[in-house]
Amino acid sequence: MDGSTLEAMGAALRGPVIGPQDPEYREARTVYNAMIDRRPAAVVRCADAADVMAAVGFLRTEGLELAVRGGGHSGAGLCLVDDGVTLDLSPMRWADIDPGARTARVGGGAVLGDLDHAAHAFGLATPSGIMSTTGVGGLTVGGGHGHLTRRYGLAVDNLLSADVVLADGSFVTANETENADLFWALRGGGGNFGIVTAFTFRLHPVDTVGVGITVWPVDRTREVLEWYRDFLPQAPEDLNGFFAALSVPPGPPFPEEIHGQKMCGVIWCWTGDPGLLGTTLAVVDEPGPPAFHFTAPMPYPALQTMFDGLLPAGLQWYWRGNFFDRITDDAVDVHVKYAENLPTDLSTTHLYPVDGAAHRIGADDTAWAYRDAVWSGVIAGIDPDPDKAETLRQWCVDYWEELHPHSMGGTYVNFMGTGETPDRVRASYRDHYDRLAAVKRAYDPDNVFHVNHNIEPAASPS
């Protein structure tokens, strides 16, 4: 992109247009995953929906590739494109709450912490992820699971409306009655269909929650997983708990004597009667005495920020995921093997429950194609040292390849990494793929939005 093109874009938009010659460029092209090193021709920080509309129209006219950045957490780095233009929505970072209607209207550049903070003032929340720095936009259009999923479903199950800039630069609203086919596709179909500049969510009464952290020595992984796979699906839906293999972080609430030790564990969130948390979790002794068990009441936003300091931006990440309807004995064998051989202190695997309320949404009601899944799993190799990037990648790939045959075949689109094949994308949408491709043809026939885990437009009917 030459200087005159940058200048023309800058004149047309309210937000800044940042090129390689600008001092802000390095920071503007930096994303959460330090393993991603891409150099866009420009980063456009869109001030509002009008900027997004103008930028999309400009880039189409100039024949330039575009990527979209919300919170910048994309593990695959899909918010950047070499020699193209990133439309950065981070200036559109706001959340407005209607406490009477129990709804939140959220800007396309907001992160979960913005939404959590604004809603918590009214004793409300909506299902989202597990880190406050995650972007609302990317998490939501991929599906969105987290601590509240068993009780209140996925983020897309609580999405009421979306404001969307389409591939031709036009602006539409999508909900159950307006552009309903687009609304269906946005609820799990990823960033394939347009740029969401604002979301409207349903909120639920969530204020102080019961938080639990239970860890066992890594040599108890088999017993813990066998117990967890049976216990959690029949537990009250007020109890959410995700399984993790981890190295114990060197800080509170963990006692110093277990810092750095390899463990397996469950991170609990309880939305029921606060007085019943202890009774509900009294069963944690069943797979063997924990090395550490902690419970405490906590404001929901505090739970959401619990891992922010442990996993700041700028680490090396490589991850892959799978859906599971059961944790088989053979899958347990794989988890045991790799839990004992975590390559770095930050590397981990998680199994997030996606049952409970998420199972009461019809299989075809949203683009999320795995309503029969019970767990969404992710394997993440993480470390600050760039020299360990290949070690992280190889551990993750080896682990995933041994575990994948025991999965349902597809994965949560937000847990797809770099180099995923079209077959993997298709498997993650199952028989929804063809319907999504038809929606893509209707709203983005030229595949302008292709810097993503791409769904290609269906061929036009003859």
Side-chain angles (χ1 to χ4, degrees), residues 428-461:
S428 295
Y429 291 116
R430 287 171 141 179
D431 55 2
H432 288 174
Y433 185 91
D434 289 343
R435 181 176 173 186
L436 286 164
V439 176
K440 178 77 167 177
R441 181 183 65 215
Y443 290 92
D444 184 14
D446 298 322
N447 206 7
V448 171
F449 301 117
H450 66 269
V451 183
N452 46 42
H453 296 301
N454 194 232
I455 297 166
E456 293 190 3
S460 298

PDB file of all heavy atoms in Angstrom, residues 428-461:
ATOM      1  N   SER A 428     -16.015 -29.363  12.011  1.00  0.00           N
ATOM      2  CA  SER A 428     -16.431 -28.594  13.175  1.00  0.00           C
ATOM      3  C   SER A 428     -17.822 -27.996  13.021  1.00  0.00           C
ATOM      4  O   SER A 428     -18.408 -27.536  14.009  1.00  0.00           O
ATOM      5  CB  SER A 428     -15.405 -27.490  13.462  1.00  0.00           C
ATOM      6  OG  SER A 428     -14.157 -28.077  13.828  1.00  0.00           O
ATOM      7  N   TYR A 429     -18.346 -28.008  11.794  1.00  0.00           N
ATOM      8  CA  TYR A 429     -19.710 -27.544  11.560  1.00  0.00           C
ATOM      9  C   TYR A 429     -20.662 -28.663  11.169  1.00  0.00           C
ATOM     10  O   TYR A 429     -21.854 -28.409  10.958  1.00  0.00           O
ATOM     11  CB  TYR A 429     -19.717 -26.428  10.514  1.00  0.00           C
ATOM     12  CG  TYR A 429     -19.092 -25.163  11.038  1.00  0.00           C
ATOM     13  CD1 TYR A 429     -17.931 -24.644  10.499  1.00  0.00           C
ATOM     14  CD2 TYR A 429     -19.670 -24.497  12.114  1.00  0.00           C
ATOM     15  CE1 TYR A 429     -17.352 -23.495  11.001  1.00  0.00           C
ATOM     16  CE2 TYR A 429     -19.104 -23.347  12.620  1.00  0.00           C
ATOM     17  CZ  TYR A 429     -17.949 -22.856  12.073  1.00  0.00           C
ATOM     18  OH  TYR A 429     -17.381 -21.713  12.585  1.00  0.00           O
ATOM     19  N   ARG A 430     -20.137 -29.881  10.998  1.00  0.00           N
ATOM     20  CA  ARG A 430     -20.974 -31.047  10.702  1.00  0.00           C
ATOM     21  C   ARG A 430     -21.946 -30.734   9.562  1.00  0.00           C
ATOM     22  O   ARG A 430     -21.601 -30.129   8.567  1.00  0.00           O
ATOM     23  CB  ARG A 430     -21.724 -31.480  11.968  1.00  0.00           C
ATOM     24  CG  ARG A 430     -20.882 -32.164  13.020  1.00  0.00           C
ATOM     25  CD  ARG A 430     -21.685 -32.319  14.278  1.00  0.00           C
ATOM     26  NE  ARG A 430     -21.465 -33.584  14.967  1.00  0.00           N
ATOM     27  CZ  ARG A 430     -22.053 -33.901  16.088  1.00  0.00           C
ATOM     28  NH1 ARG A 430     -22.903 -33.053  16.658  1.00  0.00           N
ATOM     29  NH2 ARG A 430     -21.824 -35.055  16.675  1.00  0.00           N
ATOM     30  N   ASP A 431     -23.205 -31.168   9.744  1.00  0.00           N
ATOM     31  CA  ASP A 431     -24.171 -30.975   8.667  1.00  0.00           C
ATOM     32  C   ASP A 431     -24.720 -29.544   8.608  1.00  0.00           C
ATOM     33  O   ASP A 431     -25.565 -29.236   7.771  1.00  0.00           O
ATOM     34  CB  ASP A 431     -25.322 -31.986   8.776  1.00  0.00           C
ATOM     35  CG  ASP A 431     -26.017 -31.970  10.128  1.00  0.00           C
ATOM     36  OD1 ASP A 431     -25.640 -31.150  10.996  1.00  0.00           O
ATOM     37  OD2 ASP A 431     -26.932 -32.789  10.331  1.00  0.00           O
ATOM     38  N   HIS A 432     -24.243 -28.655   9.465  1.00  0.00           N
ATOM     39  CA  HIS A 432     -24.575 -27.227   9.337  1.00  0.00           C
ATOM     40  C   HIS A 432     -23.732 -26.544   8.269  1.00  0.00           C
ATOM     41  O   HIS A 432     -24.038 -25.409   7.887  1.00  0.00           O
ATOM     42  CB  HIS A 432     -24.353 -26.504  10.673  1.00  0.00           C
ATOM     43  CG  HIS A 432     -25.370 -26.834  11.716  1.00  0.00           C
ATOM     44  ND1 HIS A 432     -25.275 -26.391  13.023  1.00  0.00           N
ATOM     45  CD2 HIS A 432     -26.518 -27.574  11.658  1.00  0.00           C
ATOM     46  CE1 HIS A 432     -26.308 -26.835  13.712  1.00  0.00           C
ATOM     47  NE2 HIS A 432     -27.065 -27.552  12.917  1.00  0.00           N
ATOM     48  N   TYR A 433     -22.672 -27.198   7.828  1.00  0.00           N
ATOM     49  CA  TYR A 433     -21.725 -26.527   6.937  1.00  0.00           C
ATOM     50  C   TYR A 433     -22.407 -26.040   5.661  1.00  0.00           C
ATOM     51  O   TYR A 433     -22.207 -24.894   5.237  1.00  0.00           O
ATOM     52  CB  TYR A 433     -20.556 -27.450   6.592  1.00  0.00           C
ATOM     53  CG  TYR A 433     -19.491 -26.748   5.778  1.00  0.00           C
ATOM     54  CD1 TYR A 433     -18.429 -26.105   6.412  1.00  0.00           C
ATOM     55  CD2 TYR A 433     -19.556 -26.695   4.385  1.00  0.00           C
ATOM     56  CE1 TYR A 433     -17.459 -25.429   5.676  1.00  0.00           C
ATOM     57  CE2 TYR A 433     -18.591 -26.023   3.647  1.00  0.00           C
ATOM     58  CZ  TYR A 433     -17.547 -25.391   4.291  1.00  0.00           C
ATOM     59  OH  TYR A 433     -16.595 -24.723   3.561  1.00  0.00           O
ATOM     60  N   ASP A 434     -23.208 -26.880   5.018  1.00  0.00           N
ATOM     61  CA  ASP A 434     -23.828 -26.489   3.752  1.00  0.00           C
ATOM     62  C   ASP A 434     -24.793 -25.312   3.946  1.00  0.00           C
ATOM     63  O   ASP A 434     -24.874 -24.416   3.090  1.00  0.00           O
ATOM     64  CB  ASP A 434     -24.553 -27.681   3.124  1.00  0.00           C
ATOM     65  CG  ASP A 434     -23.584 -28.729   2.599  1.00  0.00           C
ATOM     66  OD1 ASP A 434     -22.387 -28.407   2.422  1.00  0.00           O
ATOM     67  OD2 ASP A 434     -24.014 -29.881   2.389  1.00  0.00           O
ATOM     68  N   ARG A 435     -25.514 -25.315   5.057  1.00  0.00           N
ATOM     69  CA  ARG A 435     -26.410 -24.183   5.331  1.00  0.00           C
ATOM     70  C   ARG A 435     -25.590 -22.909   5.565  1.00  0.00           C
ATOM     71  O   ARG A 435     -25.960 -21.829   5.080  1.00  0.00           O
ATOM     72  CB  ARG A 435     -27.284 -24.490   6.543  1.00  0.00           C
ATOM     73  CG  ARG A 435     -28.268 -23.380   6.906  1.00  0.00           C
ATOM     74  CD  ARG A 435     -29.170 -23.793   8.055  1.00  0.00           C
ATOM     75  NE  ARG A 435     -30.004 -22.682   8.510  1.00  0.00           N
ATOM     76  CZ  ARG A 435     -30.802 -22.723   9.566  1.00  0.00           C
ATOM     77  NH1 ARG A 435     -30.892 -23.852  10.276  1.00  0.00           N
ATOM     78  NH2 ARG A 435     -31.521 -21.676   9.928  1.00  0.00           N
ATOM     79  N   LEU A 436     -24.487 -23.031   6.274  1.00  0.00           N
ATOM     80  CA  LEU A 436     -23.609 -21.877   6.485  1.00  0.00           C
ATOM     81  C   LEU A 436     -23.039 -21.369   5.169  1.00  0.00           C
ATOM     82  O   LEU A 436     -22.934 -20.154   4.946  1.00  0.00           O
ATOM     83  CB  LEU A 436     -22.479 -22.252   7.447  1.00  0.00           C
ATOM     84  CG  LEU A 436     -22.881 -22.395   8.916  1.00  0.00           C
ATOM     85  CD1 LEU A 436     -21.805 -23.136   9.697  1.00  0.00           C
ATOM     86  CD2 LEU A 436     -23.145 -21.026   9.536  1.00  0.00           C
ATOM     87  N   ALA A 437     -22.669 -22.293   4.281  1.00  0.00           N
ATOM     88  CA  ALA A 437     -22.136 -21.892   2.978  1.00  0.00           C
ATOM     89  C   ALA A 437     -23.181 -21.144   2.162  1.00  0.00           C
ATOM     90  O   ALA A 437     -22.855 -20.214   1.404  1.00  0.00           O
ATOM     91  CB  ALA A 437     -21.631 -23.125   2.232  1.00  0.00           C
ATOM     92  N   ALA A 438     -24.448 -21.527   2.303  1.00  0.00           N
ATOM     93  CA  ALA A 438     -25.524 -20.821   1.599  1.00  0.00           C
ATOM     94  C   ALA A 438     -25.720 -19.416   2.159  1.00  0.00           C
ATOM     95  O   ALA A 438     -25.934 -18.451   1.410  1.00  0.00           O
ATOM     96  CB  ALA A 438     -26.819 -21.624   1.699  1.00  0.00           C
ATOM     97  N   VAL A 439     -25.624 -19.270   3.496  1.00  0.00           N
ATOM     98  CA  VAL A 439     -25.708 -17.935   4.098  1.00  0.00           C
ATOM     99  C   VAL A 439     -24.518 -17.094   3.662  1.00  0.00           C
ATOM    100  O   VAL A 439     -24.649 -15.897   3.353  1.00  0.00           O
ATOM    101  CB  VAL A 439     -25.784 -18.038   5.635  1.00  0.00           C
ATOM    102  CG1 VAL A 439     -25.784 -16.642   6.264  1.00  0.00           C
ATOM    103  CG2 VAL A 439     -27.021 -18.812   6.069  1.00  0.00           C
ATOM    104  N   LYS A 440     -23.365 -17.719   3.571  1.00  0.00           N
ATOM    105  CA  LYS A 440     -22.165 -17.024   3.112  1.00  0.00           C
ATOM    106  C   LYS A 440     -22.370 -16.494   1.694  1.00  0.00           C
ATOM    107  O   LYS A 440     -22.017 -15.343   1.384  1.00  0.00           O
ATOM    108  CB  LYS A 440     -20.972 -17.984   3.166  1.00  0.00           C
ATOM    109  CG  LYS A 440     -19.654 -17.410   2.683  1.00  0.00           C
ATOM    110  CD  LYS A 440     -18.996 -16.501   3.694  1.00  0.00           C
ATOM    111  CE  LYS A 440     -17.559 -16.215   3.289  1.00  0.00           C
ATOM    112  NZ  LYS A 440     -16.905 -15.273   4.219  1.00  0.00           N
ATOM    113  N   ARG A 441     -22.933 -17.305   0.833  1.00  0.00           N
ATOM    114  CA  ARG A 441     -23.199 -16.870  -0.546  1.00  0.00           C
ATOM    115  C   ARG A 441     -24.143 -15.673  -0.560  1.00  0.00           C
ATOM    116  O   ARG A 441     -23.961 -14.735  -1.352  1.00  0.00           O
ATOM    117  CB  ARG A 441     -23.817 -18.022  -1.349  1.00  0.00           C
ATOM    118  CG  ARG A 441     -24.115 -17.658  -2.811  1.00  0.00           C
ATOM    119  CD  ARG A 441     -24.781 -18.818  -3.516  1.00  0.00           C
ATOM    120  NE  ARG A 441     -26.087 -19.111  -2.953  1.00  0.00           N
ATOM    121  CZ  ARG A 441     -26.618 -20.324  -2.837  1.00  0.00           C
ATOM    122  NH1 ARG A 441     -25.947 -21.382  -3.263  1.00  0.00           N
ATOM    123  NH2 ARG A 441     -27.804 -20.498  -2.312  1.00  0.00           N
ATOM    124  N   ALA A 442     -25.117 -15.659   0.340  1.00  0.00           N
ATOM    125  CA  ALA A 442     -26.086 -14.568   0.354  1.00  0.00           C
ATOM    126  C   ALA A 442     -25.481 -13.260   0.857  1.00  0.00           C
ATOM    127  O   ALA A 442     -25.827 -12.183   0.358  1.00  0.00           O
ATOM    128  CB  ALA A 442     -27.287 -14.962   1.222  1.00  0.00           C
ATOM    129  N   TYR A 443     -24.564 -13.327   1.843  1.00  0.00           N
ATOM    130  CA  TYR A 443     -24.072 -12.111   2.485  1.00  0.00           C
ATOM    131  C   TYR A 443     -22.627 -11.759   2.127  1.00  0.00           C
ATOM    132  O   TYR A 443     -22.216 -10.607   2.298  1.00  0.00           O
ATOM    133  CB  TYR A 443     -24.216 -12.237   4.007  1.00  0.00           C
ATOM    134  CG  TYR A 443     -25.652 -12.186   4.461  1.00  0.00           C
ATOM    135  CD1 TYR A 443     -26.402 -13.350   4.608  1.00  0.00           C
ATOM    136  CD2 TYR A 443     -26.265 -10.971   4.718  1.00  0.00           C
ATOM    137  CE1 TYR A 443     -27.732 -13.311   5.023  1.00  0.00           C
ATOM    138  CE2 TYR A 443     -27.596 -10.908   5.128  1.00  0.00           C
ATOM    139  CZ  TYR A 443     -28.324 -12.082   5.274  1.00  0.00           C
ATOM    140  OH  TYR A 443     -29.639 -12.023   5.667  1.00  0.00           O
ATOM    141  N   ASP A 444     -21.858 -12.727   1.652  1.00  0.00           N
ATOM    142  CA  ASP A 444     -20.466 -12.465   1.277  1.00  0.00           C
ATOM    143  C   ASP A 444     -20.077 -13.372   0.119  1.00  0.00           C
ATOM    144  O   ASP A 444     -19.209 -14.236   0.233  1.00  0.00           O
ATOM    145  CB  ASP A 444     -19.549 -12.709   2.490  1.00  0.00           C
ATOM    146  CG  ASP A 444     -18.086 -12.371   2.197  1.00  0.00           C
ATOM    147  OD1 ASP A 444     -17.816 -11.706   1.177  1.00  0.00           O
ATOM    148  OD2 ASP A 444     -17.212 -12.799   2.986  1.00  0.00           O
ATOM    149  N   PRO A 445     -20.701 -13.184  -1.043  1.00  0.00           N
ATOM    150  CA  PRO A 445     -20.481 -14.104  -2.169  1.00  0.00           C
ATOM    151  C   PRO A 445     -19.049 -14.091  -2.698  1.00  0.00           C
ATOM    152  O   PRO A 445     -18.604 -15.080  -3.296  1.00  0.00           O
ATOM    153  CB  PRO A 445     -21.469 -13.610  -3.226  1.00  0.00           C
ATOM    154  CG  PRO A 445     -21.736 -12.171  -2.872  1.00  0.00           C
ATOM    155  CD  PRO A 445     -21.670 -12.124  -1.378  1.00  0.00           C
ATOM    156  N   ASP A 446     -18.311 -13.006  -2.477  1.00  0.00           N
ATOM    157  CA  ASP A 446     -16.932 -12.924  -2.966  1.00  0.00           C
ATOM    158  C   ASP A 446     -15.908 -13.334  -1.909  1.00  0.00           C
ATOM    159  O   ASP A 446     -14.700 -13.212  -2.129  1.00  0.00           O
ATOM    160  CB  ASP A 446     -16.627 -11.503  -3.445  1.00  0.00           C
ATOM    161  CG  ASP A 446     -17.509 -11.084  -4.602  1.00  0.00           C
ATOM    162  OD1 ASP A 446     -17.786 -11.936  -5.473  1.00  0.00           O
ATOM    163  OD2 ASP A 446     -17.942  -9.912  -4.632  1.00  0.00           O
ATOM    164  N   ASN A 447     -16.393 -13.813  -0.758  1.00  0.00           N
ATOM    165  CA  ASN A 447     -15.524 -14.283   0.325  1.00  0.00           C
ATOM    166  C   ASN A 447     -14.542 -13.193   0.759  1.00  0.00           C
ATOM    167  O   ASN A 447     -13.350 -13.439   0.966  1.00  0.00           O
ATOM    168  CB  ASN A 447     -14.761 -15.552  -0.088  1.00  0.00           C
ATOM    169  CG  ASN A 447     -14.374 -16.413   1.117  1.00  0.00           C
ATOM    170  OD1 ASN A 447     -14.774 -16.138   2.254  1.00  0.00           O
ATOM    171  ND2 ASN A 447     -13.585 -17.436   0.868  1.00  0.00           N
ATOM    172  N   VAL A 448     -15.067 -11.998   0.904  1.00  0.00           N
ATOM    173  CA  VAL A 448     -14.248 -10.892   1.413  1.00  0.00           C
ATOM    174  C   VAL A 448     -13.726 -11.223   2.810  1.00  0.00           C
ATOM    175  O   VAL A 448     -12.565 -10.993   3.130  1.00  0.00           O
ATOM    176  CB  VAL A 448     -15.064  -9.586   1.432  1.00  0.00           C
ATOM    177  CG1 VAL A 448     -14.311  -8.473   2.166  1.00  0.00           C
ATOM    178  CG2 VAL A 448     -15.398  -9.161   0.011  1.00  0.00           C
ATOM    179  N   PHE A 449     -14.603 -11.809   3.638  1.00  0.00           N
ATOM    180  CA  PHE A 449     -14.214 -12.192   4.996  1.00  0.00           C
ATOM    181  C   PHE A 449     -13.689 -13.626   4.970  1.00  0.00           C
ATOM    182  O   PHE A 449     -14.393 -14.588   5.274  1.00  0.00           O
ATOM    183  CB  PHE A 449     -15.406 -12.063   5.945  1.00  0.00           C
ATOM    184  CG  PHE A 449     -15.973 -10.668   6.002  1.00  0.00           C
ATOM    185  CD1 PHE A 449     -17.270 -10.415   5.584  1.00  0.00           C
ATOM    186  CD2 PHE A 449     -15.204  -9.604   6.445  1.00  0.00           C
ATOM    187  CE1 PHE A 449     -17.795  -9.131   5.625  1.00  0.00           C
ATOM    188  CE2 PHE A 449     -15.716  -8.307   6.487  1.00  0.00           C
ATOM    189  CZ  PHE A 449     -17.008  -8.073   6.075  1.00  0.00           C
ATOM    190  N   HIS A 450     -12.429 -13.783   4.571  1.00  0.00           N
ATOM    191  CA  HIS A 450     -11.848 -15.119   4.468  1.00  0.00           C
ATOM    192  C   HIS A 450     -10.635 -15.320   5.370  1.00  0.00           C
ATOM    193  O   HIS A 450     -10.112 -16.430   5.467  1.00  0.00           O
ATOM    194  CB  HIS A 450     -11.428 -15.412   3.009  1.00  0.00           C
ATOM    195  CG  HIS A 450     -10.309 -14.559   2.513  1.00  0.00           C
ATOM    196  ND1 HIS A 450     -10.531 -13.362   1.873  1.00  0.00           N
ATOM    197  CD2 HIS A 450      -8.963 -14.700   2.574  1.00  0.00           C
ATOM    198  CE1 HIS A 450      -9.369 -12.814   1.550  1.00  0.00           C
ATOM    199  NE2 HIS A 450      -8.395 -13.605   1.977  1.00  0.00           N
ATOM    200  N   VAL A 451     -10.195 -14.262   6.052  1.00  0.00           N
ATOM    201  CA  VAL A 451      -9.083 -14.424   7.000  1.00  0.00           C
ATOM    202  C   VAL A 451      -9.692 -14.900   8.317  1.00  0.00           C
ATOM    203  O   VAL A 451      -9.878 -14.159   9.277  1.00  0.00           O
ATOM    204  CB  VAL A 451      -8.295 -13.114   7.162  1.00  0.00           C
ATOM    205  CG1 VAL A 451      -7.092 -13.336   8.092  1.00  0.00           C
ATOM    206  CG2 VAL A 451      -7.814 -12.610   5.808  1.00  0.00           C
ATOM    207  N   ASN A 452     -10.043 -16.168   8.317  1.00  0.00           N
ATOM    208  CA  ASN A 452     -10.726 -16.820   9.428  1.00  0.00           C
ATOM    209  C   ASN A 452     -10.665 -18.317   9.165  1.00  0.00           C
ATOM    210  O   ASN A 452     -10.034 -18.756   8.188  1.00  0.00           O
ATOM    211  CB  ASN A 452     -12.180 -16.326   9.546  1.00  0.00           C
ATOM    212  CG  ASN A 452     -12.903 -16.296   8.223  1.00  0.00           C
ATOM    213  OD1 ASN A 452     -12.783 -17.222   7.416  1.00  0.00           O
ATOM    214  ND2 ASN A 452     -13.648 -15.227   7.954  1.00  0.00           N
ATOM    215  N   HIS A 453     -11.286 -19.112  10.002  1.00  0.00           N
ATOM    216  CA  HIS A 453     -11.444 -20.529   9.681  1.00  0.00           C
ATOM    217  C   HIS A 453     -12.605 -20.587   8.685  1.00  0.00           C
ATOM    218  O   HIS A 453     -13.774 -20.670   9.051  1.00  0.00           O
ATOM    219  CB  HIS A 453     -11.688 -21.342  10.949  1.00  0.00           C
ATOM    220  CG  HIS A 453     -10.508 -21.295  11.890  1.00  0.00           C
ATOM    221  ND1 HIS A 453      -9.257 -21.727  11.513  1.00  0.00           N
ATOM    222  CD2 HIS A 453     -10.386 -20.839  13.150  1.00  0.00           C
ATOM    223  CE1 HIS A 453      -8.416 -21.551  12.521  1.00  0.00           C
ATOM    224  NE2 HIS A 453      -9.070 -21.012  13.524  1.00  0.00           N
ATOM    225  N   ASN A 454     -12.249 -20.580   7.422  1.00  0.00           N
ATOM    226  CA  ASN A 454     -13.147 -20.105   6.384  1.00  0.00           C
ATOM    227  C   ASN A 454     -14.190 -21.115   5.939  1.00  0.00           C
ATOM    228  O   ASN A 454     -13.919 -22.300   5.749  1.00  0.00           O
ATOM    229  CB  ASN A 454     -12.332 -19.658   5.173  1.00  0.00           C
ATOM    230  CG  ASN A 454     -13.138 -18.843   4.191  1.00  0.00           C
ATOM    231  OD1 ASN A 454     -13.182 -19.126   3.008  1.00  0.00           O
ATOM    232  ND2 ASN A 454     -13.804 -17.806   4.688  1.00  0.00           N
ATOM    233  N   ILE A 455     -15.401 -20.581   5.770  1.00  0.00           N
ATOM    234  CA  ILE A 455     -16.505 -21.281   5.113  1.00  0.00           C
ATOM    235  C   ILE A 455     -16.669 -20.623   3.746  1.00  0.00           C
ATOM    236  O   ILE A 455     -17.008 -19.439   3.658  1.00  0.00           O
ATOM    237  CB  ILE A 455     -17.802 -21.156   5.932  1.00  0.00           C
ATOM    238  CG1 ILE A 455     -17.636 -21.831   7.309  1.00  0.00           C
ATOM    239  CG2 ILE A 455     -18.979 -21.749   5.177  1.00  0.00           C
ATOM    240  CD1 ILE A 455     -18.716 -21.465   8.293  1.00  0.00           C
ATOM    241  N   GLU A 456     -16.394 -21.353   2.704  1.00  0.00           N
ATOM    242  CA  GLU A 456     -16.479 -20.777   1.369  1.00  0.00           C
ATOM    243  C   GLU A 456     -17.934 -20.642   0.936  1.00  0.00           C
ATOM    244  O   GLU A 456     -18.770 -21.478   1.281  1.00  0.00           O
ATOM    245  CB  GLU A 456     -15.701 -21.632   0.364  1.00  0.00           C
ATOM    246  CG  GLU A 456     -14.197 -21.631   0.607  1.00  0.00           C
ATOM    247  CD  GLU A 456     -13.448 -22.285  -0.522  1.00  0.00           C
ATOM    248  OE1 GLU A 456     -14.088 -22.683  -1.519  1.00  0.00           O
ATOM    249  OE2 GLU A 456     -12.215 -22.384  -0.419  1.00  0.00           O
ATOM    250  N   PRO A 457     -18.246 -19.596   0.164  1.00  0.00           N
ATOM    251  CA  PRO A 457     -19.630 -19.432  -0.316  1.00  0.00           C
ATOM    252  C   PRO A 457     -20.065 -20.627  -1.156  1.00  0.00           C
ATOM    253  O   PRO A 457     -19.278 -21.159  -1.956  1.00  0.00           O
ATOM    254  CB  PRO A 457     -19.568 -18.162  -1.169  1.00  0.00           C
ATOM    255  CG  PRO A 457     -18.309 -17.484  -0.763  1.00  0.00           C
ATOM    256  CD  PRO A 457     -17.357 -18.532  -0.325  1.00  0.00           C
ATOM    257  N   ALA A 458     -21.293 -21.050  -0.971  1.00  0.00           N
ATOM    258  CA  ALA A 458     -21.832 -22.120  -1.799  1.00  0.00           C
ATOM    259  C   ALA A 458     -21.906 -21.660  -3.250  1.00  0.00           C
ATOM    260  O   ALA A 458     -22.070 -20.459  -3.532  1.00  0.00           O
ATOM    261  CB  ALA A 458     -23.209 -22.529  -1.309  1.00  0.00           C
ATOM    262  N   ALA A 459     -21.788 -22.598  -4.157  1.00  0.00           N
ATOM    263  CA  ALA A 459     -21.923 -22.276  -5.562  1.00  0.00           C
ATOM    264  C   ALA A 459     -23.342 -21.783  -5.840  1.00  0.00           C
ATOM    265  O   ALA A 459     -24.307 -22.261  -5.240  1.00  0.00           O
ATOM    266  CB  ALA A 459     -21.618 -23.500  -6.413  1.00  0.00           C
ATOM    267  N   SER A 460     -23.457 -20.828  -6.757  1.00  0.00           N
ATOM    268  CA  SER A 460     -24.795 -20.320  -7.095  1.00  0.00           C
ATOM    269  C   SER A 460     -25.590 -21.411  -7.783  1.00  0.00           C
ATOM    270  O   SER A 460     -25.053 -22.185  -8.612  1.00  0.00           O
ATOM    271  CB  SER A 460     -24.673 -19.111  -8.033  1.00  0.00           C
ATOM    272  OG  SER A 460     -23.992 -18.067  -7.393  1.00  0.00           O
ATOM    273  N   PRO A 461     -26.873 -21.504  -7.464  1.00  0.00           N
ATOM    274  CA  PRO A 461     -27.701 -22.507  -8.137  1.00  0.00           C
ATOM    275  C   PRO A 461     -27.744 -22.254  -9.646  1.00  0.00           C
ATOM    276  O   PRO A 461     -27.805 -21.115 -10.092  1.00  0.00           O
ATOM    277  CB  PRO A 461     -29.093 -22.343  -7.504  1.00  0.00           C
ATOM    278  CG  PRO A 461     -29.031 -21.163  -6.624  1.00  0.00           C
ATOM    279  CD  PRO A 461     -27.626 -20.669  -6.545  1.00  0.00           C
TER     280      PRO A 461
END
